[in-house]
Amino acid sequence: MLHSSVNSSALNTSQLNSGRQAKGQLSTNRPLFTTMQVLFFTCMVIFSVFVVAQTAVANTNDEAASEKPPLVRFHAWGGSAQVNGYLQWVALQVKTRFNIELQHVKLADTSDAVSRVLAEKAAGNHDNGSVDLIWINGENFAAMKKHGLLSASWVSELNNFSLTNPEENSAMTTDFGEPTLGMEAPWGKASMVFYYRSEHMKSLGLMAPKTTEQLLRFSQKAPDRFTYPVPSDYLGISFIKYAALALNKDKHSVFYQPVSDASQKTVLPPLWKYLDALHPTMWQQGEHMLRHASQLQRLVGAGELSLAFSFTASEIPSAVTRFDLPEDVRTYAMQDGSLANVHFIGLTYNSGSKAAAKTVVNFLLSPQAQAKKQEITVWGDDTVLDMTTLTNAQQALFKKEAAHPSALDKSKSTALLAEPHASWTDALRDAWYERYGARY
């Protein structure tokens, strides 16, 4: 009869050593598991580990897939095909290089974005604003600075900011007379230029005007062939500033101080006298004026205007290349000065994507992005980089293109007129509307 259990004490030493088996007892030399059992259990363990590992990998992949790349919302004027196209290229670059989604929020008026950030601050939204980056300068920067709507001292963190040589170039750290305090990064440079239809000038028997006084005489001899946007538009207020400076050559210093009632009484009378004479000669007798700068170029292209102006010289040949303007268009700068400024990019104080936004701006300041932006067929916006800070290879990116017949002749020197103090923008605009009212 077999015992159902083994009493180890019943096994003596001699029995163990001899390997003999007592009748009716189990041998302690018998393995607990057979070779096949061991192999089966081993396979089961390996299979279990594999299943757990695969599950963990799948979970990790699901988590990675659910993590969206950071979104950076860049609020910028959307009225230019060149600017829009360039920002599409930038969006592709930052997505490929840094896995950042860049969204260009197109604006008709930059002040709309400023108002949005101000409203968010008033509502207590200090960490997750709807505006990350904003293309600004002048009065919009001054307003955002005044109300604490921009992040401070972040520009120095950008590696490429040093390529602008800010220590030797105060224009990189000053915006319409206002110190930027690291709240905005320089992006490009621009100056006012005029352009005309050469075939129209031949038919009219006139030369393109080279000064404000000549512009008035031209418009009197060729009525309905010139106009400017209302001063709520950036190009419209730029024309008012240019005229005010050109008509007050001996009082320029007044414009670079904060505006006052006394200074306005000094410089505004010549401006009003000039505009009072100009308006009746303009397109639609000056009773109806354009609301947006983009409409000015369309009227020239349609043949309704013979003379217009822009704040980006390279925009003109680029438009001719795209057939938005006819081939007989020519560009030039006024002899009594060209209003000039640097435009910037601000980072809002309540952006929820500050790190990604800084990466985007640093790329925008790279030699590659700045060179691309300067190409006439892309945008034609002048770079803010100092060529002396670049390597030979980086300088080579800014290759000189063959001169376009419609392009500004840069071999000719142009007197530049710095932007007045930011306070003058609102003062001139308000005074204009008070005198002339809404004309659109």
Side-chain angles (χ1 to χ4, degrees), residues 118-340:
L118 185 62
E120 290 174 347
K121 184 174 184 178
N125 182 358
H126 304 304
D127 303 303
N128 191 29
S130 60
V131 180
D132 298 306
L133 297 174
I134 180 170
W135 182 17
I136 54 173
N137 68 0
E139 72 274 19
N140 287 314
F141 168 68
M144 297 192 82
K145 179 181 179 182
K146 176 181 179 181
H147 295 287
L149 304 181
L150 295 170
S151 295
S153 305
W154 61 275
V155 177
S156 59
E157 300 174 23
L158 308 179
N159 292 333
N160 290 329
F161 177 59
S162 62
L163 301 180
T164 67
N165 199 10
E167 293 81 9
E168 301 297 328
N169 188 358
S170 62
M172 300 297 108
T173 56
T174 305
D175 188 349
F176 285 48
E178 286 280 347
T180 61
L181 304 180
M183 295 180 179
E184 56 179 4
W187 189 23
K189 295 186 296 185
S191 59
M192 182 181 287
V193 294
F194 281 70
Y195 59 101
Y196 62 94
R197 295 285 304 273
S198 58
E199 291 299 323
H200 287 198
M201 294 299 174
K202 290 179 182 178
S203 298
L204 294 168
L206 297 172
M207 298 288 291
K210 300 296 179 63
T211 65
T212 49
E213 290 83 0
Q214 290 182 20
L215 173 59
L216 175 58
R217 290 196 292 271
F218 166 82
S219 195
Q220 289 171 335
K221 293 179 180 179
D224 298 325
R225 310 309 299 175
F226 173 78
T227 191
Y228 66 92
V230 292
S232 54
D233 176 83
Y234 84 96
L235 198 57
I237 192 61
S238 295
F239 177 79
I240 299 301
K241 293 175 186 176
Y242 156 66
L245 286 164
L247 295 168
N248 290 277
K249 295 182 179 65
D250 58 340
K251 303 181 182 69
H252 278 188
S253 61
V254 172
F255 290 97
Y256 301 105
Q257 301 294 326
V259 68
S260 66
D261 291 339
S263 59
Q264 290 189 74
K265 291 177 181 177
T266 300
V267 300
L268 290 185
L271 177 64
W272 300 147
K273 180 180 179 181
Y274 179 82
L275 294 180
D276 287 348
L278 178 66
H279 285 173
T281 71
M282 296 196 315
W283 179 73
Q284 296 197 1
Q285 294 77 51
E287 293 298 325
H288 178 84
M289 297 175 66
L290 307 177
R291 295 189 66 180
H292 303 298
S294 57
Q295 296 173 302
L296 199 58
Q297 189 180 110
R298 294 193 191 103
L299 287 178
V300 175
E304 291 193 52
L305 297 180
S306 300
L307 179 70
F309 57 99
S310 169
F311 223 102
T312 306
S314 298
E315 177 182 68
I316 310 309
S318 180
V320 173
T321 301
R322 297 192 319 272
F323 304 105
D324 289 337
L325 286 174
E327 294 182 350
D328 69 318
V329 166
R330 297 295 181 265
T331 309
Y332 69 102
M334 287 289 196
Q335 293 178 350
D336 52 2
S338 178
L339 192 68

Side-chain angles (χ1 to χ4, degrees), residues 349-386:
Y349 88 100
N350 64 341
S351 167
S353 303
K354 286 189 173 69
K358 292 175 185 177
T359 299
V360 170
V361 178
N362 192 56
F363 174 72
L364 290 172
L365 284 175
S366 68
Q368 295 80 5
Q370 286 280 304
K372 181 76 172 180
K373 180 167 64 73
Q374 188 166 284
E375 292 180 18
I376 288 178
T377 54
V378 177
W379 179 355
D381 189 45
D382 287 340
T383 181
V384 292
L385 303 186
D386 186 331

